[in-house]
């Protein structure tokens, strides 16, 4: 999979992409990420990428021109891809959307800044808008990194255990059971006996039960949705 990112702050991407799973995915050729400075697609001596909003109000809005130019140039040189605008107004990133996007050959991610992005980008350029949660961050760079990580986990070969993302929290609409490792007893807090039993069926049953119990205690909205198919209230 290839991912091109358009941002005013390319320097924010180097380090997070250079460690652990994302670094290995890139080294093994399963994932190629290229980060592009939006200013390179802006016109004029000053390469302006933002202007005050029409209608007044504070802050600046990112101009459509450099974003359209960037996406069009990258689509021409790297081939067409699915264009995603990171936005608090987008649909929430989920295991389903991450898995769906992992099946695309090419993603183009647009990172907003300031008050946001001229609406014509969402209306006439982006294929979809994605939010990473109901809170506002200063820019789309961290959301883009979150999306890249979530999507990469679904690329075949990226994780040692290919079923891992399908067993993680949320995949089945539930939270995962807790994990324990050595020592068996840490400061008097013992590991649940069943995990030491060697009885795989009993361990699987315990994990399932714990997943349901934790979800009921911490995220009853998820459990309600799983049981009824309808969204629950938090
Ligand atoms: C400060 S935010 C703009 C917020 C906007 N004024 C609003 O209230 O919806 C600047 C940029 O950060 C990104 N961003 C902020 N929060 C986000 C979120 N929860 N999910 C995805 N992108 C987000 C978007 O690209 C957005 O254009």
């Amino acid at each position: 999979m290839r991912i091109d990112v358009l941002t005013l702050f390319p320097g924010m991407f180097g380090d997070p992409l250079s460690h652990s799973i994302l670094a290995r995915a890139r080294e093994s050729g399963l994932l190629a990420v290229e980060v592009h400075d939006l200013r390179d697609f802006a016109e004029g001596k000053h390469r302006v990428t933002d202007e005050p909003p029409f209608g007044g109000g504070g802050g600046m809005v990112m101009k459509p021109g450099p974003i359209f130019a960037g996406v069009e140039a990258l689509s021409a040189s790297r081939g067409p891809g699915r264009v995603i605008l990171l936005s608090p107004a987008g649909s929430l990133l989920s295991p389903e959307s991450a898995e769906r996007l992992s099946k695309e050959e090419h993603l183009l991610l647009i990172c907003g800044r300031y008050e946001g992005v001229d609406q014509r980008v969402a209306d006439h350029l982006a294929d979809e808008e994605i939010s990473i949660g109901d809170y506002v961050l200063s820019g789309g760079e961290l959301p883009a990194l979150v999306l890249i990580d979530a999507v990469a986990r679904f690329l075949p070969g990226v994780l040692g255990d290919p079923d891992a993302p399908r067993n993680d929290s949320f995949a089945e609409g539930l939270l995962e059971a807790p994990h324990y490792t050595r020592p068996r007893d840490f400061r008097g807090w013992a590991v649940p006996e069943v995990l030491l039993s060697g009885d795989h069926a009993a361990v699987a049953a315990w994990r399932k039960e714990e997943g349901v119990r934790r979800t009921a205690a911490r995220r009853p909205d998820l459990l309600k949705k799983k049981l009824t198919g309808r969204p629950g209230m938090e």
Side-chain angles (χ1 to χ4, degrees):
M1 158 176 269
R2 170 178 188 88
I3 302 181
D4 284 291
V5 183
L6 282 157
T7 169
L8 290 172
F9 297 95
M12 288 181 71
F13 287 83
D15 218 37
L17 294 172
S18 305
H19 296 277
S20 185
I21 287 170
L22 289 180
R24 286 202 301 275
R26 292 170 65 214
E27 280 155 18
S28 60
L30 296 168
L31 175 68
V33 183
E34 211 177 320
V35 182
H36 309 271
D37 192 336
L38 265 171
R39 280 188 192 83
D40 293 343
F41 302 99
E43 289 181 340
K45 192 168 137 216
H46 298 293
R47 298 190 172 272
V48 174
T49 55
D50 54 281
E51 296 274 8
F54 281 127
M60 300 295 268
V61 174
M62 286 176 68
K63 288 158 67 70
I67 301 176
F68 272 76
V71 168
E72 284 159 3
L74 291 170
S75 303
S77 59
R78 272 73 164 176
R82 190 157 185 84
V83 180
I84 296 171
L85 173 63
L86 282 312
S87 161
S91 50
L92 275 183
L93 183 64
S94 65
E96 293 76 27
S97 51
E99 186 168 12
R100 169 174 61 78
L101 293 174
S102 75
K103 300 197 169 95
E104 298 282 340
E105 268 176 38
H106 184 196
L107 300 178
L108 289 123
L109 308 184
I110 303 166
C111 304
R113 274 272 155 182
Y114 317 122
E115 274 308 307
V117 174
D118 186 290
Q119 181 60 29
R120 287 164 288 190
V121 170
D123 291 347
H124 305 293
L125 182 67
D127 293 305
E128 62 184 301
E129 293 176 77
I130 291 189
S131 164
I132 62 157
D134 291 344
Y135 40 81
V136 172
L137 298 166
S138 313
E141 290 74 16
L142 294 175
L145 284 164
V146 168
L147 186 146
I148 293 169
D149 192 308
V151 168
R153 293 173 63 78
F154 283 100
L155 292 176
V158 164
L159 297 183
D161 173 5
D163 287 331
R166 281 162 206 93
N167 295 328
D168 280 337
S169 288
F170 308 114
E172 290 292 322
L174 296 173
L175 300 178
E176 199 188 40
H179 299 284
Y180 295 89
T181 187
R182 293 192 180 106
R184 286 173 171 221
D185 190 300
F186 178 69
R187 298 186 176 181
W189 299 304
V191 169
E193 209 48 50
V194 62
L195 297 179
L196 311 172
S197 67
D199 181 339
H200 297 302
V203 169
W206 179 85
R207 286 190 171 142
K208 202 166 183 181
E209 217 171 280
E210 278 300 299
V212 174
R213 196 189 58 74
R214 278 187 134 197
T215 311
R218 297 173 184 210
R219 293 292 304 273
D221 58 308
L222 289 180
L223 196 59
K224 183 170 179 216
K225 188 172 169 208
K226 185 167 173 68
L227 295 175
T228 65
R230 291 197 308 275
M233 299 297 287
E234 266 181 278

